[in-house]
Amino acid sequence: VGPPTPSPSASSDGVAEVECAICLECRRPEEHDSWVTLQCGHAFHAGACLAGHIREQCLLVEGRVHETLRESFDALGLEAGTRRALLDGGDLVGLHQQGRLRQCPQCRYGPVVNTNCFDMASHDSERGSGTGRTTNKCPNCEFFSTRYEDWNVWKPDDVTAAVLCPLCRSRCEVSNSDRTRILERFAALDSKLEARSQMNLW
């Protein structure tokens, strides 16, 4: 059970005050655009407080993922020579950080490791030629592409999905109204930047 939800209080001008549960400061009228409300109804300073909370939680999840990768790799019990041959001298954590672990774009099967040729057809058992051929299709759904780049970067967990509201522990999702407001502001900023770039061209 999370901490109790703060009750809005009225300021001297009759406007409801909302307290940010992270910094414990109340929202002032002029700060409306710098706050964000989540789907659960709780509101926070967007950049100063909630962004830091999201970044910290994402780093914690990534740390757990890397620890799981290390444990899985050590459990294989590979000899040094085999490890170098299979993983180009690295380990699963290093390959994951480099974006070299992939997953099937259709069924998300993974991780898939390819440290050799990126032409997936030349050494495929059904499509290629020569010796040393193997299957390069997804063993789960049989997806195949001639390009290794068409396989998505492996995501063992969507780290943002693990970020929860600091108050009620529900998913940290921006409310529909604030999402619309933020997208409108981004669009306005894009228009200003485009207008400025056009002026610089002259």
Side-chain angles (χ1 to χ4, degrees):
V1 179
T5 302
S7 300
S9 58
S11 62
S12 58
D13 57 5
V15 178
E17 291 183 342
V18 180
E19 183 181 84
C20 174
I22 297 177
C23 69
L24 303 181
E25 292 185 0
C26 289
R27 176 171 58 191
R28 296 188 294 271
E30 66 273 15
E31 291 183 323
H32 175 72
D33 285 345
S34 64
W35 279 61
V36 65
T37 302
L38 304 182
Q39 293 282 14
C40 60
H42 297 124
F44 306 89
H45 289 102
C49 297
L50 189 60
H53 167 74
I54 293 174
R55 182 168 53 252
E56 179 182 352
Q57 294 302 308
C58 287
L59 290 174
L60 288 174
V61 174
E62 286 184 351
R64 291 197 297 269
V65 170
H66 289 167
E67 183 61 29
T68 300
L69 284 172
R70 290 189 182 94
E71 292 175 355
S72 300
F73 186 74
D74 292 340
L76 295 176
L78 299 177
E79 297 180 353
T82 304
R83 177 180 302 198
R84 286 193 298 270
L86 289 177
L87 301 179
D88 201 21
D91 58 17
L92 291 179
V93 175
L95 294 179
H96 181 233
Q97 292 174 335
Q98 297 168 19
R100 295 171 62 185
L101 295 185
R102 299 299 176 103
Q103 67 184 25
C104 175
Q106 290 187 170
C107 70
R108 303 185 67 187
Y109 172 86
V112 174
V113 181
N114 178 12
T115 60
N116 298 305
C117 177
F118 289 95
D119 179 358
M120 305 296 282
S122 61
H123 298 289
D124 184 71
S125 57
E126 298 178 6
R127 302 165 179 84
S129 59
T131 60
R133 291 182 293 160
T134 185
T135 178
N136 282 327
K137 64 183 179 182
C138 173
N140 188 48
C141 72
E142 298 192 348
F143 166 82
F144 177 83
S145 173
T146 59
R147 294 168 6 106
Y148 186 56
E149 292 83 357
D150 291 338
W151 291 66
N152 293 339
V153 175
W154 182 53
K155 295 181 179 179
D157 189 11
D158 180 1
V159 295
T160 59
V163 179
L164 306 177
C165 170
L167 275 177
C168 66
R169 313 304 294 170
S170 60
R171 285 283 299 271
C172 193
E173 297 179 339
V174 177
S175 66
N176 293 332
S177 59
D178 274 8
R179 184 183 295 112
T180 300
R181 174 175 59 85
I182 292 170
L183 291 176
E184 289 175 348
R185 290 198 64 190
F186 282 158
L189 287 173
D190 284 341
S191 297
K192 289 182 179 179
L193 290 173
E194 179 64 22
R196 181 169 297 181
S197 64
Q198 292 297 327
M199 291 177 61
N200 291 336
L201 292 176
W202 296 96

